[in-house]
Amino acid sequence: MPPTHRPPRDSRTPDAAPDVPAGPHPRATASRPVPWGGLHVPAGASLPPGTSYATLHAAFQAQPMPADRKPAADRAHARMTVGREEIGRDATGTEAAGRSGGQDDDVPAVIHHAVAAWRLRNARRFSVRVLSAATVAVTAVALSAPTASAAPSPTWPKGVDIASWQHPGSAPIDWNAVKASGVSFAIVKATEGTEYTNPYFAADRDAARLAGLTVGAYHYARPAAPISTAVDQARHFLAVTGLTRSAGHLAPVLDLETTGGLDPVALAAWTRAFLEEIETQTGRAPIIYTYRSFWTDHMADTDDFALYPFWFAIYNNEDTPGWLPGGWSNWAIWQYSSSGDVPGIIGNVDMNAACCSPASLAALADGTQSELDKRYASGGLMRIALGAPTNTELAAGGGGRWRPFTNGLLFWSVRSGARALHGEVARKYLALGGSDSFLKRPLSDVEWAAAPGAHQAMFEGGWIYWSLATGAHEVHGQILRHYLDLGGSVSSLGLPVTDEYSVPGGRESAFQFGRLRWMAATNSVVLLPATVGATDAAPAAGAAAAGAAGAAGTALAP
């Protein structure tokens, strides 16, 4: 049986969180009453009275293998420990399936069905106490034979992740030897919380890069209230690592393994704040490191972060990491072992594989281009519509990056993706305050609306519509929802001719052929006929929009 934790990596730091073994994934619990790692049976233990090994063997052999078993990769959930590298302790922080040595994950399912059949045939003969003892015996017999374990594909780039623990007695790491052993990348612990910095970080990262390895840096998270501590930790991390905007550098990594006492909602908010500060400052999508039971138990298996690159820790003795939590459809890096033996590094080291080729690793580590750079480099009509850049990339309010062009802007965040806004829609957006406004971040490019000749763009907080006849106007909140339910730009209302404005008792938006009014007292939206003022306001609204666009044009300049 492997230990529940390893000695501390960072011996200079005093505190450590406890290691908490986690149970199996809930999808597998109902069909696996026998513990997956087996039960401990003292040496020399005898079978219950009235049973024999022959009886149990016959029951075991008579039971066929169930036809509806999940693939082995879906069943590789077992013991795991928390705290891969906390201050004062460096535990695995990952899942280890089966027993030490990698027992066959199919065995427990066979045991379960065999025991069930045996109990059914002998229910009148034995008491529950005797049956439980027999279960122990069957488990002990079935798990006594060792089986071979699988490993990641040899074509996947291999890597290590290290901290000060890999420098016992301040011994150096021979990074040339590490490279010569076939290792392609190294991820080095940089910081923890807001105070700790790994004293070996800078030298290790530089030496590993000089030896020809792709390099990365991770921050061990110390979540805490208030949520603003996430931004403090992110800034401490970047102050040590820099912006990683060069070739051969992986994006910054958030190592998330402790809750700091936060519930799943607060912990998700803390995580979001950290990640968005990183992406806002670097223009890169940060990587999340965690393990399955932490995400399912302490993050409520949220899929809100599934767009971030995923570094998945699971020690399952399989050739793939199996099913992923949190809505992730794929993984970028897989930490598959904590007991690697690598020339040049003293003691055991965590082993990783990158998915799933050297070319993929190189793309993941290309810090020379931001996500905005990549979108603009894709060319096509988008570049013609935007024109030439008028400034460098800038941090955007609400999280993300943006860059102005002569006739528009590019915006990027992990949640929104890279979006291109141009023309009057872009000017309207900037006139309202951009991502700092109620519209927040764009969720689409400027695109054709359903109404002939009209454009639209979607944002987190509303939409902007434009046509030559009406100008550019925003619609948001419950008025927008009601408008879309009616059919949007091809509804009987037509296109908006004003932004939303205040009226007694609520808010209102005017359209070409009617109005929508939100009533605060009832929290409902009512459809009103167009008034002469509202109908005649369309040309005036268009002129006002043009004036606002002209004023906003200065925002598109350097």
Side-chain angles (χ1 to χ4, degrees):
M1 189 72 74
T4 58
H5 62 83
R6 300 206 304 272
R9 283 185 179 177
D10 293 315
S11 56
R12 298 184 183 183
T13 52
D15 60 314
D19 296 312
V20 183
H25 189 271
R27 288 206 290 259
T29 304
S31 64
R32 296 181 183 272
V34 179
W36 296 348
L39 301 177
H40 298 291
V41 182
S46 60
L47 290 173
T51 66
S52 68
Y53 280 102
T55 303
L56 296 176
H57 180 73
F60 186 86
Q61 295 292 340
Q63 181 64 28
M65 184 72 71
D68 60 347
R69 286 204 330 273
K70 293 182 179 180
D74 254 337
R75 300 191 306 277
H77 328 302
R79 184 182 52 257
M80 65 193 72
T81 55
V82 174
R84 166 172 161 272
E85 182 161 76
E86 302 166 13
I87 292 180
R89 172 175 295 173
D90 178 28
T92 65
T94 51
E95 303 183 11
R99 303 174 75 167
S100 179
Q103 298 297 337
D104 187 351
D105 195 49
D106 290 340
V107 171
V110 178
I111 296 170
H112 165 54
H113 289 280
V115 170
W118 182 83
R119 284 181 170 176
L120 182 63
R121 288 194 295 271
N122 295 277
R124 298 181 180 178
R125 183 177 177 189
F126 302 112
S127 67
V128 173
R129 179 182 60 81
V130 173
L131 293 174
S132 297
T135 301
V136 172
V138 174
T139 304
V141 171
L143 295 181
S144 61
T147 59
S149 61
S153 169
T155 65
W156 296 345
K158 299 302 186 294
V160 297
D161 61 272
I162 65 161
S164 63
W165 174 247
Q166 273 70 43
H167 294 273
S170 298
I173 292 175
D174 184 346
W175 287 106
N176 289 318
V178 173
K179 173 67 175 177
S181 72
V183 169
S184 299
F185 64 96
I187 305 177
V188 186
K189 178 177 180 178
T191 53
E192 180 169 341
T194 57
E195 302 294 333
Y196 177 75
T197 299
N198 175 10
Y200 301 97
F201 166 73
D204 275 338
R205 184 175 68 170
D206 291 348
R209 187 73 191 118
L210 188 62
L213 278 76
T214 294
V215 296
Y218 73 88
H219 172 82
Y220 188 89
R222 286 294 182 179
I227 301 304
S228 61
T229 61
V231 176
D232 296 336
Q233 292 191 31
R235 290 175 178 172
H236 171 52
F237 182 32
L238 293 180
V240 172
T241 66
L243 299 180
T244 68
R245 291 292 298 272
S246 55
H249 285 254
L250 294 163
V253 177
L254 173 64
D255 180 351
L256 186 61
E257 304 179 55
T258 59
T259 68
L262 302 181
D263 63 30
V265 173
L267 185 58
W270 192 98
T271 302
R272 173 74 62 191
F274 182 98
L275 296 172
E276 290 191 344
E277 179 65 17
I278 296 294
E279 63 194 73
T280 297
Q281 298 303 323
T282 66
R284 304 186 69 185
I287 300 168
I288 297 176
Y289 169 99
T290 195
Y291 56 96
R292 185 179 290 146
S293 70
F294 183 88
W295 201 264
T296 57
D297 296 350
H298 301 297
M299 293 288 281
D301 206 21
T302 176
D303 60 2
D304 285 348
F305 301 88
L307 294 176
Y308 289 89
F310 188 29
W311 182 3
F312 187 32
I314 178 169
Y315 306 165
N316 60 0
N317 294 317
E318 299 286 347
D319 56 7
T320 68
W323 69 269
L324 307 179
W328 274 287
S329 59
N330 52 53
W331 52 273
I333 304 173
W334 170 23
Q335 187 188 80
Y336 60 89
S337 173
S338 63
S339 55
D341 183 8
V342 175
I345 299 177
I346 299 174
N348 289 342
V349 65
D350 293 336
M351 297 302 300
N352 302 271
C355 183
C356 289
S357 69
S360 297
L361 176 62
L364 189 64
D366 182 9
T368 60
Q369 284 192 314
S370 71
E371 297 302 318
L372 291 179
D373 293 332
K374 295 174 184 177
R375 178 67 198 276
Y376 190 65
S378 65
L381 294 176
M382 179 267 297
R383 291 185 66 163
I384 298 174
L386 289 175
T390 60
N391 205 339
T392 58
E393 282 188 23
L394 305 167
R401 306 277 290 179
W402 77 289
R403 189 175 190 183
F405 295 79
T406 53
N407 192 42
L409 64 97
L410 281 174
F411 185 98
W412 170 83
S413 71
V414 171
R415 175 173 283 189
S416 65
R419 302 299 177 184
L421 303 179
H422 58 82
E424 299 305 319
V425 171
R427 292 184 172 89
K428 183 67 174 181
Y429 179 57
L430 291 174
L432 292 171
S435 59
D436 284 321
S437 73
F438 62 88
L439 288 174
K440 301 181 181 178
R441 296 175 289 195
L443 298 178
S444 76
D445 296 347
V446 172
E447 58 190 17
W448 290 106
H455 289 169
Q456 66 184 28
M458 294 176 283
F459 302 83
E460 289 178 319
W463 292 32
I464 292 177
Y465 290 91
W466 171 86
S467 75
L468 187 62
T470 61
H473 299 286
E474 60 79 18
V475 187
H476 69 279
Q478 293 207 41
I479 290 177
L480 173 62
R481 287 191 285 273
H482 197 80
Y483 179 56
L484 294 176
D485 286 343
L486 293 174
S489 64
V490 291
S491 71
S492 60
L493 289 168
L495 291 164
V497 296
T498 69
D499 295 344
E500 186 178 298
Y501 52 88
S502 294
V503 295
R507 303 277 293 173
E508 187 173 283
S509 288
F511 299 82
Q512 289 173 301
F513 310 111
R515 293 171 291 149
L516 289 176
R517 178 176 295 180
W518 172 76
M519 306 299 295
T522 59
N523 192 29
S524 60
V525 177
V526 295
L527 175 62
L528 301 173
T531 63
V532 173
T535 303
D536 293 343
T554 57
L556 296 175

